[in-house]
Amino acid sequence: GTVEPHTLIRQHIDYMHWYDRAKMTLKDIHNTQYVSCMNLQLVHLPSTRLQRHFCVFAVSFPGQEAQTTIYSYILNGHLDLGKFPAPVKRIADKLLQASIQLHSKVNSTFLPTAIKFHYIFNLRDLSNIYQGILYSTSEITRTAPDVIQLWMHEASRVYRDKLIDQKDVETYDKLIIDVCKKNFEDVDESVFEPEVNIYTHFSLGIGDVKYAPISSYASLNSILVEALENYNENELYDEPCLVQGCYGACV
């Protein structure tokens, strides 16, 4: 915030009241607590008169060992509960290392600027990758290439979709392929560059809800067109007629 809000907050913490400038009366404010966060990279920091009221905790980004521990519990727990095949479980550790390496490379390559101010990647982005992987089932994800392509899809949705120009997109594509080649040496390189790599909950049809890859853009287009036609047809019959004197439904 700016100086004025900070001053009002400090005044309330010091005196437990504010002044109503319109009614010229004193307003006592009770039973309140303040919790705040601060970016130490900012040029203008809040005044020490305000900071002295807070107990300050510095929380740094988890190191590689901590990240591995956190996400290994999440991923291995999902694979065990879902009764995934052994080839999928064996690649879990490599998947964790690939995720951490990719996150580090993306963080150091795509830096925020005045135009690309949203190029900020943190632990939430890393968590979103695994959130998508948790949608997988042993019925669909049976082999190591299956889980690698699923991971690539989730990483692309988290990182690639944030990029705003073609040059950055091409740079990202090279980064993720390099990370895959380094961590999955025993997997055929054609797995890293599929023609189509998009996972949805309606890949097998609107009525069959399973998180699976689409077979082609043509099949995806067919499913979406069918869903759109069904939606338009249902909406057409359900929409009440607003024309005066018409009491039925528009057909």
Side-chain angles (χ1 to χ4, degrees):
T2 58
V3 174
E4 184 176 350
H6 289 170
T7 303
L8 289 173
I9 293 173
R10 183 190 59 77
Q11 178 185 341
H12 177 235
I13 296 176
D14 283 338
Y15 304 106
M16 300 303 294
H17 65 244
W18 285 316
Y19 287 98
D20 189 326
R21 297 174 62 185
K23 298 180 180 180
M24 300 296 292
T25 57
L26 190 68
K27 287 188 173 182
D28 291 318
I29 312 295
H30 299 288
N31 300 323
T32 58
Q33 291 182 329
Y34 289 93
V35 178
S36 62
C37 59
M38 181 173 63
N39 185 357
L40 294 178
Q41 296 178 355
L42 294 177
V43 177
H44 302 289
L45 298 178
S47 69
T48 54
R49 296 178 69 189
L50 175 60
Q51 291 185 47
R52 66 190 173 91
H53 290 293
F54 290 86
C55 180
V56 181
F57 297 92
V59 181
S60 59
F61 190 83
Q64 182 172 340
E65 183 178 352
Q67 294 176 52
T68 302
T69 301
I70 294 170
Y71 294 108
S72 64
Y73 277 112
I74 296 173
L75 182 58
N76 289 324
H78 173 65
L79 297 180
D80 289 338
L81 289 174
K83 298 180 180 180
F84 283 78
V88 175
K89 292 182 179 180
R90 282 197 296 266
I91 208 170
D93 290 340
K94 293 183 178 180
L95 210 62
L96 292 166
Q97 297 305 316
S99 300
I100 295 172
Q101 290 176 20
L102 180 64
H103 181 82
S104 178
K105 288 180 179 292
V106 168
N107 221 355
S108 60
T109 302
F110 304 107
L111 302 176
T113 64
I115 299 176
K116 305 171 183 178
F117 56 87
H118 64 289
Y119 278 21
I120 299 175
F121 306 96
N122 49 41
L123 203 61
R124 181 182 301 172
D125 299 297
L126 200 56
S127 299
N128 286 339
I129 295 178
Y130 290 95
Q131 182 178 0
I133 293 177
L134 294 184
Y135 287 126
S136 62
T137 61
S138 57
E139 182 182 354
I140 303 296
T141 308
R142 301 191 184 103
T143 64
D146 289 341
V147 72
I148 290 173
Q149 290 185 345
L150 171 61
W151 172 80
M152 292 181 68
H153 162 80
E154 298 301 335
S156 295
R157 299 292 69 78
V158 171
Y159 301 121
R160 195 176 190 268
D161 289 355
K162 274 190 178 182
L163 308 179
I164 61 175
D165 58 47
Q166 188 60 32
K167 182 179 178 181
D168 288 348
V169 170
E170 292 173 356
T171 301
Y172 170 80
D173 290 340
K174 292 178 182 178
L175 280 179
I176 193 169
I177 290 175
D178 290 342
V179 169
C180 287
K181 289 180 179 178
K182 181 178 180 180
N183 289 276
F184 311 116
E185 298 176 351
D186 53 342
V187 177
D188 191 276
E189 293 186 2
S190 62
V191 173
F192 310 144
E193 299 183 67
E195 293 184 7
V196 183
N197 190 29
I198 298 177
Y199 280 71
T200 72
H201 291 282
F202 51 83
S203 301
L204 306 180
I206 299 299
D208 193 0
V209 183
K210 291 179 181 176
Y211 200 56
I214 64 170
S215 56
S216 65
Y217 287 115
S219 65
L220 177 61
N221 180 72
S222 177
I223 293 172
L224 294 177
V225 168
E226 180 184 355
L228 181 61
E229 290 175 349
N230 291 336
Y231 175 80
N232 289 337
E233 183 178 353
N234 293 332
E235 285 296 307
L236 182 63
Y237 281 96
D238 292 340
E239 183 178 357
C241 183
L242 302 180
V243 179
Q244 186 176 4
C246 177
Y247 302 100
C250 293
V251 178

